[in-house]
Structures are given as structure tokens and as C-alpha cells.
Amino acid sequence: VRKEADRILAIDGGGGWKDKIRLLAIPSPLLVLGYCLFWKGCILDGRAGLHYALQRCYAELLLSLELLDRRLSGRPDEKGPNREC
């Protein structure tokens, strides 16, 4: 999650529309869920498609929490207090 957050923060507006949406930390998990279910057609795959879409939503939620944590703590870099890795 930290590496993906570093990659998204390093783009500085040069990424595609998907990365720009991912920078919007609050609505991005729900947007990813809708994208997976309807745009990618996972809703047609039944339980397996729903399971995949929920996994993607959860991963996006973790990324959003990391981005919000960095914004609220005022440290956009990877290494901060209590960060060993």
C-alpha cells in the first residue's frame, strides 16, 4: 500500500484518469466498486465477480486510508514517525 501511495503521489498530475480518481481518497473506493461491477462487467460473473469487486474496493480503501493519513499528518513521504519499513 505504501509503494502504491508513493507512486500515485509522485505522478504530480501526469497520470491517467484512473490515478487522478485515486487521488480523491474519499470517493475512490466506491468508484472502484462501481467500475469493477458495471464497467468491467464483474456483476455478470455472479459470486466470483462480486467477490473480486469487493476485494478491489477493500484494496482501494486501504490505499485511501494511507493517502488520508499522509495528508492529515503533513508528511507526504514514505518514511515518517513509527515507520520502520
Side-chain angles (χ1 to χ4, degrees):
V1 173
R2 290 185 200 139
K3 287 183 180 183
E4 185 67 16
D6 290 336
R7 186 189 71 78
I8 289 174
L9 290 173
I11 290 173
D12 288 334
W17 63 273
K18 292 178 185 177
D19 289 330
K20 290 179 183 177
I21 289 176
R22 293 176 94 187
L23 280 172
L24 305 171
I26 304 283
S28 66
L30 293 176
L31 292 173
V32 165
L33 181 64
Y35 172 77
C36 285
L37 284 176
F38 301 110
W39 186 260
K40 298 296 268 184
C42 289
I43 197 164
L44 300 174
D45 294 331
R47 271 181 99 171
L50 180 63
H51 188 253
Y52 172 75
L54 289 174
Q55 285 179 334
R56 287 285 315 268
C57 181
Y58 180 66
E60 196 65 33
L61 178 65
L62 291 176
L63 177 65
S64 294
L65 289 174
E66 178 70 23
L67 291 172
L68 284 173
D69 181 48
R70 290 182 186 200
R71 288 180 191 155
L72 293 176
S73 65
R75 53 176 177 75
D77 59 339
E78 178 183 357
K79 305 273 186 194
N82 301 325
R83 298 283 173 131
E84 298 290 326
C85 300

